């Protein structure tokens, strides 16, 4: 079964309903169960056959592929057999996603936090967020459907807090021109960088008043009543692609997950679903022997999953929340679509590895933005959601949930540059009151202007150079030797 070259193994993937357990064939698009309305996960019915190969052989195969040169296997499909083993080599779309670096904190940051930690920079994906992992899989699937079924046109649609639309528009722009990209955004609730992405990729961008949850209800209505391809994480193919995050973490740590805790921001809860599902597969196949601990992190301004797990196990019931403004805007979601997936997987996760392996912590807005600033002032490139993870780690330490030997891997889900508007609001003290953020001098940084345009006009080039240099010397307190 294991040979070099493109894999020969093919899975038998079926949509598995988390509500009524009914299954549907994997060669058609389904988002929610026609029977009961619940969400799906895709299940490979040939997965038990993969267990005939030892964990050691799997590790060797994936390690060999990491050095391989087959384009289709360079990204998330390095882990082909574990992700969506139904594609042929030509089906696979690769735009450089996956294989993002894990960067260990400097001694200074580690001492400051009191814990060994590293960021996995998922902002180093092509559209600068982790969403590309799922999109690569969803578009490989969609492209194949269009070819096989000979569709003459298909509208690929999503609602977004910014990054799903950036990613969907990018992959659609690369794909078969029968696929047309349409994105629905909550007006004023995505950053200008995020808005520029689908516009630049040539997608049709539609803005609606309200928040993400409002846009999501509109695309759900469209997906239920018209023939459109939904690219939100209800689309179970996206979840499969996002599992690659877990596989990469395990591989980079040499398949040893002992004393490791992953921190993941929760918005629509697709990412944390995929990460738990991914680690469970690795454990099942013997690639790893223990599951890492998982910490979901939510802002107090958008915390429905945290609230659910705060209740006593036997009394838990889920209610959506009304969100308030959050700097972790990409996770500002009150009614996460993948919540039922999290509930199922967290339960399995704890059954396999014991209590305390799955946790959700809640953090303040002030802590989120200041954790991002702290990380970036120590050489990282984290977004506000990565800041949320660092705030979550500090919170977990406060609650004495961390062991001193544990390594914390924090998910920087996007690139810092996408969220520079929040940094700017902090530095200029211009946060609207709804954010509950008051800047502290120690974190603020701003450009210092030392000569005006008018002063420059009055000077010759030499005078200007000398005057400016003198100002810099004064600012820095430099002494000539
Ligand atoms: C989408 C997104 C999240 C939230 O992920 P979910 O899968 O919706 O929980 C967090 N951070 C960034 C940068 C995102 O784009
Ligand atoms: Zn069902």
């Amino acid at each position: 079964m294991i040979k070099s070259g493109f894999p020969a193994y093919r899975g038998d993937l079926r949509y598995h309903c988390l509500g009524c357990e009914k299954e549907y064939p994997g060669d058609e698009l389904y988002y929610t169960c026609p029977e009961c309305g619940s969400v799906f996960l895709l299940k490979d019915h040939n997965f038990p056959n993969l267990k005939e190969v030892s964990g050691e052989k799997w590790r060797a195969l994936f390690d060999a592929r990491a050095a391989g040169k087959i384009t289709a296997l360079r990204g998330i499909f390095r882990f082909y057999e574990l992700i969506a083993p139904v594609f042929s080599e030509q089906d696979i779309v690769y735009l450089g996603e996956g294989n993002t670096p894990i960067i260990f904190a400097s001694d200074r940051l580690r001492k400051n936090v009191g814990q060994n930690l590293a960021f996995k920079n998922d902002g180093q994906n092509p559209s600068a967020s982790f969403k590309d992992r799922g999109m690569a899989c969803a578009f490989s699937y969609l492209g194949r459907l269009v070819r096989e079924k000979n569709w003459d046109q298909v509208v690929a649609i999503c609602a977004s807090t910014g990054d799903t639309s950036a990613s969907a528009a990018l992959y659609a722009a690369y794909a078969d021109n029968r696929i047309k990209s349409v994105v629905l955004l909550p007006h004023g609730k995505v950053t200008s960088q995020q808005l520029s992405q689908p516009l630049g990729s040539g997608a049709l961008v539609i803005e609606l008043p309200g928040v993400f949850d409002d846009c999501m209800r509109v695309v759900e209505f469209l997906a239920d009543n018209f023939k459109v391809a939904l690219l939100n994480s209800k689309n179970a193919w996206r979840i499969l692609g996002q599992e690659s995050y877990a596989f990469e973490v395990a591989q980079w740590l040499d398949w040893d997950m002992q004393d490791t805790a992953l921190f993941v921001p929760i918005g629509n809860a697709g990412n944390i679903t995929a990460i738990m599902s991914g680690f469970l597969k690795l454990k099942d196949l013997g690639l790893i022997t223990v599951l890492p601990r998982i910490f979901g992190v939510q802002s107090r301004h958008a915390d429905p999953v945290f609230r659910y797990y705060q209740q006593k196990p036997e009394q838990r019931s889920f209610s959506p929340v009304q969100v308030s403004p959050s700097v972790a805007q990409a996770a500002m979601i009150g009614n996460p679509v993948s919540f039922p997936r999290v509930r199922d997987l967290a339960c399995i996760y704890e059954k396999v590895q014991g209590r305390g392996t799955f946790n959700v912590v809640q953090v303040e807005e002030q802590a989120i933005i200041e954790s991002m600033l702290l990380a970036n002032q120590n050489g990282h490139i984290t977004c506000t959601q990565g800041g949320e993870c660092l705030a979550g780690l500090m919170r977990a330490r406060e609650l004495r949930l961390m062991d001193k030997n544990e390594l914390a891997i924090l998910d920087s889900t996007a690139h810092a540059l996408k969220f520079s508007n929040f940094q700017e609001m902090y530095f200029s003290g211009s946060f609207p009151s709804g954010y509950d953020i008051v800047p502290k001098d120690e974190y603020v940084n701003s450009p210092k202007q030392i000569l005006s345009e008018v002063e420059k006009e009055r000077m010759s080039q030499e005078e200007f150079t000398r005057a400016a240099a003198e100002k810099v010397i004064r600012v820095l307190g430099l002494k000539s030797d």
Side-chain angles (χ1 to χ4, degrees):
M1 189 197 299
I2 294 181
K3 277 208 234 79
S4 58
F6 195 82
Y9 171 79
R10 292 294 180 271
D12 171 14
L13 267 65
R14 299 184 213 162
Y15 295 93
H16 179 87
C17 171
L18 298 187
C20 70
E21 310 250 311
K22 236 185 123 147
E23 296 213 323
Y24 300 84
D27 57 1
E28 271 185 67
L29 270 175
Y30 288 98
Y31 309 112
T32 49
C33 177
E35 202 78 13
C36 78
S38 300
V39 285
F40 290 119
L41 283 173
L42 282 152
K43 250 194 181 162
D44 178 4
H45 284 261
N46 292 345
F47 191 84
N49 299 341
L50 297 178
K51 295 186 190 179
E52 289 163 18
V53 176
S54 70
E56 196 185 341
K57 284 204 171 128
W58 281 119
R59 288 192 293 267
L61 173 73
F62 294 139
D63 288 350
R65 273 197 204 144
K69 296 214 169 122
I70 298 176
T71 301
L73 304 181
R74 286 188 69 193
I76 60 166
F77 288 103
R78 175 192 304 169
F79 307 99
Y80 177 89
E81 291 86 345
L82 309 190
I83 291 187
V86 292
F87 299 128
S88 66
E89 193 169 351
Q90 306 81 268
D91 291 333
I92 291 177
V93 182
Y94 173 68
L95 297 185
E97 62 286 332
N99 206 14
T100 57
I102 289 178
I103 306 299
F104 282 81
S106 62
D107 283 351
R108 190 177 49 218
L109 181 58
R110 183 157 44 83
K111 286 198 187 109
N112 185 324
V113 177
Q115 191 83 36
N116 194 12
L117 71 138
F119 280 93
K120 184 162 169 68
N121 286 349
D122 254 19
Q124 289 180 250
N125 275 298
S127 81
S129 87
F130 78 85
K131 298 294 199 302
D132 297 333
R133 296 178 178 279
M135 227 44 96
C137 186
F139 270 88
S140 298
Y141 180 71
L142 189 58
R144 193 174 71 168
L145 274 190
V146 167
R147 281 191 298 279
E148 272 181 358
K149 306 205 182 252
N150 227 341
W151 288 342
D152 50 348
Q153 246 237 330
V154 53
V155 171
I157 195 166
C158 66
S160 178
T161 55
D163 292 329
T164 300
S165 60
S167 183
L170 175 69
Y171 284 81
Y174 189 83
D176 194 305
N177 60 14
R178 288 173 287 184
I179 300 176
K180 179 165 178 53
S181 177
V182 180
V183 307
L184 267 68
L185 300 174
H187 178 73
K189 305 286 190 319
V190 306
T191 71
S192 55
Q193 293 86 343
Q194 289 170 320
L195 176 59
S196 79
Q197 291 185 287
L199 289 173
S201 295
L204 173 62
V205 177
I206 295 173
E207 290 195 321
L208 290 171
V211 294
F212 169 82
D213 298 290
D214 296 301
C215 295
M216 190 64 212
R217 281 190 284 271
V218 176
V219 294
E220 278 172 350
F221 177 83
L222 295 172
D224 287 345
N225 295 288
F226 296 88
K227 213 181 123 198
V228 296
L230 181 65
L231 286 169
N232 282 96
S233 49
K234 261 198 177 168
N235 181 328
W237 295 92
R238 270 193 50 200
I239 301 291
L240 289 178
Q242 289 174 195
E243 290 180 3
S244 59
Y245 182 94
F247 306 152
E248 289 175 15
V249 169
Q251 185 170 35
W252 195 250
L253 298 181
D254 235 348
W255 311 104
D256 179 7
M257 294 285 101
Q258 192 72 49
D259 296 325
T260 308
L262 274 72
F263 285 75
V264 185
I266 303 179
N268 225 1
N271 196 24
I272 195 163
T273 293
I275 291 171
M276 283 195 284
S277 173
F279 281 116
L280 284 167
K281 284 184 187 172
L282 294 181
K283 175 96 174 18
D284 218 11
L285 293 180
L287 277 106
I288 58 174
T289 52
V290 292
L291 296 170
R293 296 206 299 152
I294 302 286
F295 285 83
V297 189
Q298 293 208 297
S299 161
R300 196 163 57 78
H301 288 189
D303 61 353
V305 181
F306 169 76
R307 282 164 187 260
Y308 176 83
Y309 283 103
Q310 278 301 99
Q311 301 165 53
K312 288 202 183 77
E314 58 285 358
Q315 291 164 1
R316 282 174 188 162
S317 79
F318 181 79
S319 341
V321 302
Q322 200 75 36
V323 295
S324 356
S326 172
V327 293
Q329 189 169 260
M332 204 178 98
I333 294 174
N335 191 15
V337 159
S338 286
F339 175 73
R341 292 166 169 160
V342 174
R343 189 177 44 201
D344 267 35
L345 287 166
C347 187
I348 301 171
Y349 212 87
E350 292 214 308
K351 251 187 218 133
V352 175
Q353 201 61 49
R355 284 196 60 186
T357 42
F358 175 82
N359 308 269
V360 183
V361 292
Q362 181 210 51
V363 293
E364 298 295 328
E365 288 293 312
Q366 184 90 25
I368 295 174
I369 188 95
E370 287 173 357
S371 298
M372 178 195 82
L373 294 168
L374 174 69
N376 293 349
Q377 287 166 5
N378 282 279
H380 294 281
I381 51 168
T382 189
C383 63
T384 44
Q385 293 69 222
E388 184 174 22
C389 289
L390 179 52
L393 169 59
M394 294 184 194
R395 181 76 188 130
R397 285 178 50 79
E398 265 170 35
L399 295 169
R400 301 190 178 285
L401 298 175
M402 295 297 291
D403 188 89
K404 67 179 188 331
N405 296 320
E406 258 178 315
L407 165 65
I409 305 272
L410 315 184
D411 191 347
S412 175
T413 44
H415 199 289
L417 289 174
K418 285 206 192 212
F419 296 88
S420 58
N421 63 324
F422 292 117
Q423 175 179 294
E424 173 53 27
M425 283 194 239
Y426 189 97
F427 289 171
S428 60
S430 59
F431 269 114
S433 61
Y435 285 92
D436 296 339
I437 290 174
V438 182
K440 293 196 196 85
D441 285 345
E442 57 181 303
Y443 290 111
V444 171
N445 200 2
S446 50
K448 299 178 184 26
Q449 185 143 32
I450 53 175
L451 283 173
S452 68
E453 286 291 335
V454 178
E455 286 171 299
K456 181 168 188 293
E457 264 166 37
R458 287 203 301 259
M459 295 178 200
S460 70
Q461 186 67 59
E462 292 79 54
E463 285 169 335
F464 172 73
T465 304
R466 174 154 297 239
E470 272 167 10
K471 293 260 187 194
V472 175
I473 290 163
R474 216 169 306 147
V475 169
L476 296 176
L478 292 181
K479 305 236 158 34
S480 63
D481 48 18

mmCIF file of all heavy atoms in Angstrom, residues 3 33 99 133 143 164 169 198 204 219 235 254 277 287 289 299 306 317 320 328 385 396 402 411 422 433 440 452 481:
data_model
loop_
_atom_site.group_PDB
_atom_site.id
_atom_site.type_symbol
_atom_site.label_atom_id
_atom_site.label_comp_id
_atom_site.label_asym_id
_atom_site.label_seq_id
_atom_site.Cartn_x
_atom_site.Cartn_y
_atom_site.Cartn_z
ATOM 1 N N LYS A 3 3.898 3.228 -1.250
ATOM 2 C CA LYS A 3 4.958 3.305 -2.272
ATOM 3 C C LYS A 3 5.260 4.777 -2.497
ATOM 4 O O LYS A 3 4.469 5.633 -2.128
ATOM 5 C CB LYS A 3 4.451 2.672 -3.570
ATOM 6 C CG LYS A 3 4.575 1.159 -3.613
ATOM 7 C CD LYS A 3 4.734 0.693 -5.056
ATOM 8 C CE LYS A 3 3.722 -0.341 -5.453
ATOM 9 N NZ LYS A 3 2.398 0.087 -5.798
ATOM 10 N N CYS A 33 -28.054 17.624 7.190
ATOM 11 C CA CYS A 33 -28.812 16.391 6.970
ATOM 12 C C CYS A 33 -30.235 16.692 6.470
ATOM 13 O O CYS A 33 -30.979 17.412 7.138
ATOM 14 C CB CYS A 33 -28.869 15.617 8.281
ATOM 15 S SG CYS A 33 -29.837 14.110 8.180
ATOM 16 N N ASN A 99 2.079 23.536 5.790
ATOM 17 C CA ASN A 99 3.516 23.511 6.061
ATOM 18 C C ASN A 99 3.992 24.837 6.653
ATOM 19 O O ASN A 99 5.066 25.329 6.311
ATOM 20 C CB ASN A 99 4.262 23.195 4.752
ATOM 21 C CG ASN A 99 5.594 22.542 5.030
ATOM 22 O OD1 ASN A 99 5.861 22.092 6.148
ATOM 23 N ND2 ASN A 99 6.456 22.509 4.041
ATOM 24 N N ARG A 133 -6.200 26.038 4.291
ATOM 25 C CA ARG A 133 -6.086 24.578 4.457
ATOM 26 C C ARG A 133 -7.380 23.894 4.031
ATOM 27 O O ARG A 133 -7.366 22.910 3.294
ATOM 28 C CB ARG A 133 -5.820 24.223 5.927
ATOM 29 C CG ARG A 133 -4.516 24.742 6.466
ATOM 30 C CD ARG A 133 -4.359 24.394 7.948
ATOM 31 N NE ARG A 133 -3.079 24.870 8.432
ATOM 32 C CZ ARG A 133 -1.926 24.236 8.253
ATOM 33 N NH1 ARG A 133 -1.902 23.060 7.656
ATOM 34 N NH2 ARG A 133 -0.793 24.744 8.689
ATOM 35 N N GLY A 143 -13.949 21.399 -7.881
ATOM 36 C CA GLY A 143 -13.435 21.360 -9.249
ATOM 37 C C GLY A 143 -13.730 20.016 -9.895
ATOM 38 O O GLY A 143 -14.133 19.930 -11.057
ATOM 39 N N THR A 164 -12.507 33.774 5.508
ATOM 40 C CA THR A 164 -13.108 32.751 4.647
ATOM 41 C C THR A 164 -13.307 33.324 3.249
ATOM 42 O O THR A 164 -13.010 32.667 2.244
ATOM 43 C CB THR A 164 -14.467 32.279 5.209
ATOM 44 O OG1 THR A 164 -14.241 31.731 6.509
ATOM 45 C CG2 THR A 164 -15.104 31.222 4.340
ATOM 46 N N ALA A 169 -12.233 33.431 -2.342
ATOM 47 C CA ALA A 169 -12.068 34.239 -3.559
ATOM 48 C C ALA A 169 -10.745 33.916 -4.245
ATOM 49 O O ALA A 169 -10.669 33.855 -5.475
ATOM 50 C CB ALA A 169 -12.145 35.719 -3.211
ATOM 51 N N PRO A 198 -10.871 39.721 -1.330
ATOM 52 C CA PRO A 198 -11.816 39.212 -2.349
ATOM 53 C C PRO A 198 -12.014 40.217 -3.483
ATOM 54 O O PRO A 198 -12.218 39.813 -4.632
ATOM 55 C CB PRO A 198 -13.113 38.980 -1.564
ATOM 56 C CG PRO A 198 -12.979 39.780 -0.318
ATOM 57 C CD PRO A 198 -11.512 39.844 -0.003
ATOM 58 N N LEU A 204 -17.406 38.641 -6.492
ATOM 59 C CA LEU A 204 -18.531 39.543 -6.253
ATOM 60 C C LEU A 204 -18.683 39.682 -4.740
ATOM 61 O O LEU A 204 -18.918 38.692 -4.039
ATOM 62 C CB LEU A 204 -19.811 38.969 -6.877
ATOM 63 C CG LEU A 204 -21.110 39.723 -6.556
ATOM 64 C CD1 LEU A 204 -21.073 41.152 -7.087
ATOM 65 C CD2 LEU A 204 -22.316 38.986 -7.131
ATOM 66 N N VAL A 219 -26.806 33.039 3.668
ATOM 67 C CA VAL A 219 -26.226 32.019 2.776
ATOM 68 C C VAL A 219 -26.832 30.646 3.047
ATOM 69 O O VAL A 219 -26.986 29.846 2.130
ATOM 70 C CB VAL A 219 -24.674 31.924 2.820
ATOM 71 C CG1 VAL A 219 -24.034 33.185 2.292
ATOM 72 C CG2 VAL A 219 -24.151 31.579 4.160
ATOM 73 N N ASN A 235 -19.585 23.066 5.155
ATOM 74 C CA ASN A 235 -19.020 22.215 4.113
ATOM 75 C C ASN A 235 -17.949 21.324 4.756
ATOM 76 O O ASN A 235 -16.871 21.775 5.127
ATOM 77 C CB ASN A 235 -18.421 23.117 3.024
ATOM 78 C CG ASN A 235 -17.823 22.324 1.885
ATOM 79 O OD1 ASN A 235 -17.313 21.218 2.074
ATOM 80 N ND2 ASN A 235 -17.880 22.892 0.698
ATOM 81 N N ASP A 254 8.086 15.654 16.089
ATOM 82 C CA ASP A 254 8.586 14.277 15.966
ATOM 83 C C ASP A 254 7.598 13.250 16.494
ATOM 84 O O ASP A 254 7.990 12.246 17.073
ATOM 85 C CB ASP A 254 9.939 14.147 16.668
ATOM 86 C CG ASP A 254 10.975 13.592 15.708
ATOM 87 O OD1 ASP A 254 10.565 13.123 14.625
ATOM 88 O OD2 ASP A 254 12.167 13.623 16.045
ATOM 89 N N SER A 277 -10.259 16.227 15.535
ATOM 90 C CA SER A 277 -10.491 15.086 14.649
ATOM 91 C C SER A 277 -9.165 14.570 14.095
ATOM 92 O O SER A 277 -8.936 13.355 14.019
ATOM 93 C CB SER A 277 -11.438 15.517 13.526
ATOM 94 O OG SER A 277 -11.550 14.509 12.571
ATOM 95 N N LEU A 287 0.269 6.704 15.023
ATOM 96 C CA LEU A 287 1.347 7.659 14.703
ATOM 97 C C LEU A 287 1.780 8.407 15.955
ATOM 98 O O LEU A 287 2.927 8.815 16.083
ATOM 99 C CB LEU A 287 0.894 8.669 13.646
ATOM 100 C CG LEU A 287 0.998 8.191 12.211
ATOM 101 C CD1 LEU A 287 -0.363 7.878 11.648
ATOM 102 C CD2 LEU A 287 1.696 9.222 11.357
ATOM 103 N N THR A 289 1.176 8.393 20.441
ATOM 104 C CA THR A 289 0.697 7.499 21.503
ATOM 105 C C THR A 289 -0.188 8.218 22.524
ATOM 106 O O THR A 289 -0.996 7.584 23.193
ATOM 107 C CB THR A 289 1.874 6.833 22.244
ATOM 108 O OG1 THR A 289 2.774 7.862 22.658
ATOM 109 C CG2 THR A 289 2.604 5.859 21.340
ATOM 110 N N SER A 299 -13.319 35.101 23.615
ATOM 111 C CA SER A 299 -13.415 36.417 24.258
ATOM 112 C C SER A 299 -14.706 36.480 25.071
ATOM 113 O O SER A 299 -15.709 35.862 24.692
ATOM 114 C CB SER A 299 -13.443 37.503 23.185
ATOM 115 O OG SER A 299 -13.954 38.700 23.731
ATOM 116 N N PHE A 306 -17.634 28.621 25.627
ATOM 117 C CA PHE A 306 -17.152 28.711 27.009
ATOM 118 C C PHE A 306 -18.311 28.543 27.989
ATOM 119 O O PHE A 306 -18.244 27.771 28.947
ATOM 120 C CB PHE A 306 -16.451 30.052 27.241
ATOM 121 C CG PHE A 306 -16.158 30.330 28.687
ATOM 122 C CD1 PHE A 306 -15.099 29.691 29.330
ATOM 123 C CD2 PHE A 306 -16.956 31.206 29.419
ATOM 124 C CE1 PHE A 306 -14.844 29.927 30.674
ATOM 125 C CE2 PHE A 306 -16.707 31.444 30.762
ATOM 126 C CZ PHE A 306 -15.649 30.802 31.390
ATOM 127 N N SER A 317 -26.629 22.932 28.514
ATOM 128 C CA SER A 317 -27.456 23.163 27.335
ATOM 129 C C SER A 317 -26.868 24.352 26.598
ATOM 130 O O SER A 317 -26.330 25.278 27.214
ATOM 131 C CB SER A 317 -28.909 23.383 27.717
ATOM 132 O OG SER A 317 -29.093 24.691 28.166
ATOM 133 N N PRO A 320 -27.059 30.280 21.957
ATOM 134 C CA PRO A 320 -26.281 31.298 21.245
ATOM 135 C C PRO A 320 -26.200 32.562 22.091
ATOM 136 O O PRO A 320 -27.061 32.787 22.952
ATOM 137 C CB PRO A 320 -27.107 31.571 19.984
ATOM 138 C CG PRO A 320 -28.086 30.452 19.878
ATOM 139 C CD PRO A 320 -28.303 29.934 21.257
ATOM 140 N N ALA A 328 -10.749 40.284 18.471
ATOM 141 C CA ALA A 328 -10.620 38.962 17.846
ATOM 142 C C ALA A 328 -11.822 38.804 16.914
ATOM 143 O O ALA A 328 -12.639 37.893 17.036
ATOM 144 C CB ALA A 328 -10.592 37.865 18.904
ATOM 145 N N GLN A 385 -6.303 37.035 16.968
ATOM 146 C CA GLN A 385 -6.749 35.718 17.438
ATOM 147 C C GLN A 385 -5.583 34.916 18.030
ATOM 148 O O GLN A 385 -5.774 34.121 18.957
ATOM 149 C CB GLN A 385 -7.423 34.935 16.318
ATOM 150 C CG GLN A 385 -8.747 35.510 15.827
ATOM 151 C CD GLN A 385 -8.613 36.819 15.084
ATOM 152 O OE1 GLN A 385 -9.397 37.723 15.287
ATOM 153 N NE2 GLN A 385 -7.599 36.971 14.242
ATOM 154 N N ALA A 396 -5.114 30.155 31.532
ATOM 155 C CA ALA A 396 -5.012 28.744 31.950
ATOM 156 C C ALA A 396 -3.983 28.607 33.070
ATOM 157 O O ALA A 396 -4.157 27.803 33.998
ATOM 158 C CB ALA A 396 -4.631 27.868 30.760
ATOM 159 N N MET A 402 -2.182 24.514 33.833
ATOM 160 C CA MET A 402 -0.987 24.144 33.073
ATOM 161 C C MET A 402 0.046 23.488 33.983
ATOM 162 O O MET A 402 0.235 23.901 35.123
ATOM 163 C CB MET A 402 -0.346 25.382 32.431
ATOM 164 C CG MET A 402 -1.171 26.070 31.373
ATOM 165 S SD MET A 402 -1.503 25.032 29.935
ATOM 166 C CE MET A 402 0.123 24.896 29.201
ATOM 167 N N ASP A 411 -2.071 28.934 18.215
ATOM 168 C CA ASP A 411 -2.446 29.057 16.809
ATOM 169 C C ASP A 411 -2.573 30.542 16.451
ATOM 170 O O ASP A 411 -3.520 31.206 16.856
ATOM 171 C CB ASP A 411 -3.780 28.328 16.587
ATOM 172 C CG ASP A 411 -4.115 28.172 15.113
ATOM 173 O OD1 ASP A 411 -3.464 28.837 14.277
ATOM 174 O OD2 ASP A 411 -5.031 27.380 14.804
ATOM 175 N N PHE A 422 -6.586 47.290 14.455
ATOM 176 C CA PHE A 422 -6.791 47.223 15.914
ATOM 177 C C PHE A 422 -5.551 47.703 16.665
ATOM 178 O O PHE A 422 -5.646 48.357 17.697
ATOM 179 C CB PHE A 422 -7.181 45.804 16.337
ATOM 180 C CG PHE A 422 -8.540 45.404 15.846
ATOM 181 C CD1 PHE A 422 -8.697 44.347 14.966
ATOM 182 C CD2 PHE A 422 -9.672 46.104 16.253
ATOM 183 C CE1 PHE A 422 -9.954 43.982 14.497
ATOM 184 C CE2 PHE A 422 -10.941 45.760 15.791
ATOM 185 C CZ PHE A 422 -11.076 44.697 14.907
ATOM 186 N N SER A 433 -16.124 52.722 22.772
ATOM 187 C CA SER A 433 -16.268 52.229 24.147
ATOM 188 C C SER A 433 -16.683 50.756 24.223
ATOM 189 O O SER A 433 -16.338 50.059 25.164
ATOM 190 C CB SER A 433 -17.276 53.094 24.902
ATOM 191 O OG SER A 433 -18.519 52.996 24.246
ATOM 192 N N LYS A 440 -2.366 51.138 27.429
ATOM 193 C CA LYS A 440 -1.337 51.421 28.432
ATOM 194 C C LYS A 440 -0.074 51.912 27.717
ATOM 195 O O LYS A 440 0.305 51.348 26.684
ATOM 196 C CB LYS A 440 -0.985 50.141 29.190
ATOM 197 C CG LYS A 440 -2.099 49.592 30.048
ATOM 198 C CD LYS A 440 -1.518 48.567 31.041
ATOM 199 C CE LYS A 440 -2.605 47.699 31.662
ATOM 200 N NZ LYS A 440 -2.968 46.537 30.840
ATOM 201 N N SER A 452 9.134 69.501 10.097
ATOM 202 C CA SER A 452 7.910 69.683 9.306
ATOM 203 C C SER A 452 8.254 69.932 7.842
ATOM 204 O O SER A 452 9.391 70.260 7.503
ATOM 205 C CB SER A 452 7.106 70.860 9.855
ATOM 206 O OG SER A 452 7.810 72.063 9.604
ATOM 207 N N ASP A 481 32.082 59.756 19.564
ATOM 208 C CA ASP A 481 33.274 59.303 20.294
ATOM 209 C C ASP A 481 34.567 59.795 19.651
ATOM 210 O O ASP A 481 34.565 60.676 18.794
ATOM 211 C CB ASP A 481 33.310 57.769 20.432
ATOM 212 C CG ASP A 481 33.034 57.042 19.136
ATOM 213 O OD1 ASP A 481 33.159 57.690 18.050
ATOM 214 O OD2 ASP A 481 32.655 55.860 19.150
#
